Amino acid sequence: MKIAFLASRKGFLKVVGSLIQATLERGHEAVLLRDPGEQKPGEVTTEEDLRHWAAARVVDHRWGKTILPLLQRERVEALVGPSVHFVLKALGPAQDLAGASAAGVRLYSVDYALETLTSDAEAYRVIDTTFYATGYERQLHWQLQAADFERVARDVSLEERSAVSGSTMLDQLALVDRAAVRRRLGLAPDRPIVLLMSLKMAVPEPWRRHVWGGGPRLARMARAVASGQGALVPAIWKGNGYRRLAMSLRDFSRRTGAALVVKSRAKNRDPRFLRRSADLFVESDDGVFPYTSIELMAIADLCVHFQSGAVLEAVRAGVPSVSVRVPQSHLDEYPGHEEIFGGREGSLQRWAGVVWSMEHDEAPSRFAGLTLADFKIDPEARGRYIERFVGFDDARCSERVLDVIERKASRAATRPG
């Protein structure tokens, strides 16, 4: 069987990298669709990235141009990627979705950090199988768009058009050589690691830019007023809580003998004080197999993030994490917002014995009275969290996806006519 993968962005490769590997190991052919004109900063895939799968065939395809003739010319039987319906709808002609089945190409969409919750119910009409990390995620998706899924279910079977596989991205944890990562980064083999995943500042959330952004206080106040955000002036005047948190984590790390490692990306637009607070500042995000964040999580003893999908990586790696709650007005309309970004007990971002939730204004003082010993994973609680949000505690999620693809290809091959 010949399977094509969306490979135009590094982020896509992080999600499907283990699946590409499993495809090759089972003796199938893999085609990697690369867009040499990819415009998203830091996302263009390089020859070095694709060299991880030397046996795969790399084919250039510029998004916006029809893809079906290429897939037919390459005799591709399946196209796989994250958010396939959204990607093809946004970046290619509409007929690519409508004509895939008639062209003999099955479409498969794999999950990325619960992002499948944002997929339109209508995707079930054209995507052969939508993969979810957990059964809970699938039920939540159906619930959030109940009326739309009820309409779609009159024409197709929701169960037949979906499957639970776990996260193919998290399979990459099994690839990490922890000792080698520490050596490469210059970290002592036995030194504890506090990992801070930096806050994305380049989002349409005024509070982040003005209250927690870089630069002098008066300048940030002036910018807030000029942009119609004068209500933020009192919060800005109180001082920069992001700086206080960074300094608190630096002190926490020193008190416990840990190294403070800050993981960022250039596009995050971090304030300068964040770099100064770190023992190690990792801005490069070049790794794709294994990807950089999963390497850092594999060596961490505690992860601090801002209601991030990093919580899934942390739990899978057995690392306790602290989810710091910050304003998320730009995500208010995100499906399942409270479940994904809220802080109530039993949600993704707060689970006793697994992930601790702190308000942004209280986090600096709370860390001042804590040590690493105060953050210990409860194995039973972790097991329940894994079942609800992660799916599987193994490295076989890609195998499960491939099982479904093979099974459906076999059925199609034996179908009369």
Side-chain angles (χ1 to χ4, degrees):
M1 179 165 47
K2 184 177 283 191
I3 305 175
F5 296 88
L6 298 179
S8 60
R9 295 180 178 176
K10 288 181 183 290
F12 293 171
L13 290 177
K14 294 173 187 177
V15 178
V16 300
S18 293
L19 183 53
I20 296 171
Q21 187 65 30
T23 296
L24 294 171
E25 290 177 354
R26 288 199 186 181
H28 300 301
E29 296 179 74
V31 176
L32 308 185
L33 301 178
R34 176 184 63 180
D35 181 1
E38 172 61 46
Q39 297 297 310
K40 192 171 183 180
E43 285 286 354
V44 63
T45 53
T46 65
E47 289 186 9
E48 184 177 356
D49 293 333
L50 302 179
R51 200 172 292 134
H52 290 291
W53 306 279
R57 174 172 165 75
V58 178
V59 177
D60 286 347
H61 171 260
R62 290 186 178 273
W63 295 113
K65 295 185 177 180
T66 183
I67 195 174
L68 286 181
L70 181 154
L71 297 177
Q72 291 178 295
R73 185 171 65 250
E74 293 290 328
R75 297 185 179 180
V76 165
E77 298 167 63
L79 174 64
V80 185
S83 303
V84 166
H85 183 259
F86 174 82
V87 171
L88 292 184
K89 189 175 180 180
L91 302 179
Q95 62 265 29
D96 283 351
L97 280 168
S101 178
V105 180
R106 293 179 178 273
L107 304 177
Y108 295 94
S109 189
V110 291
D111 189 48
Y112 167 68
L114 306 184
E115 195 172 50
T116 298
L117 293 176
T118 67
S119 178
D120 292 340
E122 288 294 317
Y124 270 52
R125 296 187 187 277
V126 291
I127 304 298
D128 191 270
T129 305
T130 296
F131 290 94
Y132 296 85
T134 71
Y136 168 77
E137 181 191 5
R138 177 165 63 176
Q139 290 296 328
L140 180 60
H141 190 202
W142 292 351
Q143 174 187 327
L144 291 171
Q145 299 184 45
D148 292 337
F149 273 113
E150 182 179 357
R151 183 173 59 254
V152 171
R154 297 169 191 161
D155 303 315
V156 300
S157 166
L158 301 186
E159 287 76 12
E160 278 293 312
R161 290 296 178 99
S162 63
V164 174
S165 63
S167 171
T168 56
M169 184 175 74
L170 297 183
D171 283 351
Q172 291 200 35
L173 181 65
L175 302 174
V176 179
D177 182 334
R178 291 164 172 78
V181 172
R182 283 179 174 267
R183 286 195 301 271
R184 188 178 75 240
L185 298 176
L187 297 167
D190 56 349
R191 189 177 184 186
I193 303 295
V194 174
L195 176 62
L196 172 63
M197 310 296 283
S198 76
L199 180 65
K200 294 178 181 178
M201 306 299 283
V203 298
E205 167 49 68
W207 183 91
R208 296 191 190 190
R209 298 193 304 275
H210 299 310
V211 182
W212 270 27
R217 183 185 313 184
L218 291 177
R220 286 183 285 118
M221 291 171 66
R223 288 197 298 269
V225 171
S227 62
Q229 300 295 326
L232 294 175
V233 167
I236 300 171
W237 182 252
K238 290 180 181 178
N240 195 312
Y242 200 5
R243 181 185 287 109
R244 286 197 298 271
L245 177 59
M247 296 304 106
S248 177
L249 288 173
R250 181 195 62 184
D251 295 342
F252 172 90
S253 299
R254 290 179 178 175
R255 190 170 67 252
T256 58
L260 176 59
V261 177
V262 175
K263 170 65 180 71
S264 184
R265 298 183 70 177
K267 67 179 183 179
N268 281 14
R269 300 181 187 175
D270 301 301
R272 288 187 219 172
F273 59 75
L274 197 61
R275 186 184 296 267
R276 293 197 297 266
S277 71
D279 293 296
L280 176 65
F281 189 85
V282 180
E283 193 171 51
S284 170
D285 203 41
D286 292 336
V288 295
F289 195 65
Y291 61 96
T292 305
S293 294
I294 202 70
E295 287 188 319
L296 294 175
M297 196 65 73
I299 64 173
D301 294 270
L302 175 68
C303 175
V304 180
H305 55 89
F306 299 94
Q307 297 156 281
S308 164
V311 66
L312 299 170
E313 297 169 328
V315 177
R316 175 67 181 86
V319 176
S321 75
V322 174
S323 178
V324 179
R325 296 187 66 183
V326 295
Q328 301 266 23
S329 64
H330 62 299
L331 295 175
D332 283 345
E333 301 304 316
Y334 193 97
H337 178 275
E338 182 58 29
E339 187 69 23
I340 305 305
F341 300 107
R344 66 173 175 77
E345 183 59 46
S347 65
L348 186 78
Q349 303 293 343
R350 184 176 183 180
W351 194 281
V354 179
V355 52
W356 288 253
S357 178
M358 295 184 188
E359 295 292 339
H360 65 85
D361 53 355
E362 69 174 15
S365 59
R366 286 189 62 180
F367 274 109
L370 299 170
T371 69
L372 284 172
D374 293 300
F375 300 100
K376 293 295 183 183
I377 289 281
D378 178 332
E380 292 187 2
R382 176 178 177 271
R384 293 192 295 273
Y385 186 102
I386 289 280
E387 180 179 0
R388 190 172 184 83
F389 295 116
V390 182
F392 298 90
D393 197 13
D394 60 18
R396 297 197 66 257
C397 301
S398 297
E399 300 284 347
R400 294 183 187 92
V401 170
L402 196 53
D403 287 345
V404 172
I405 295 174
E406 289 177 338
R407 184 166 62 249
K408 292 203 170 185
S410 178
R411 287 179 187 170
T414 57
R415 190 174 297 145

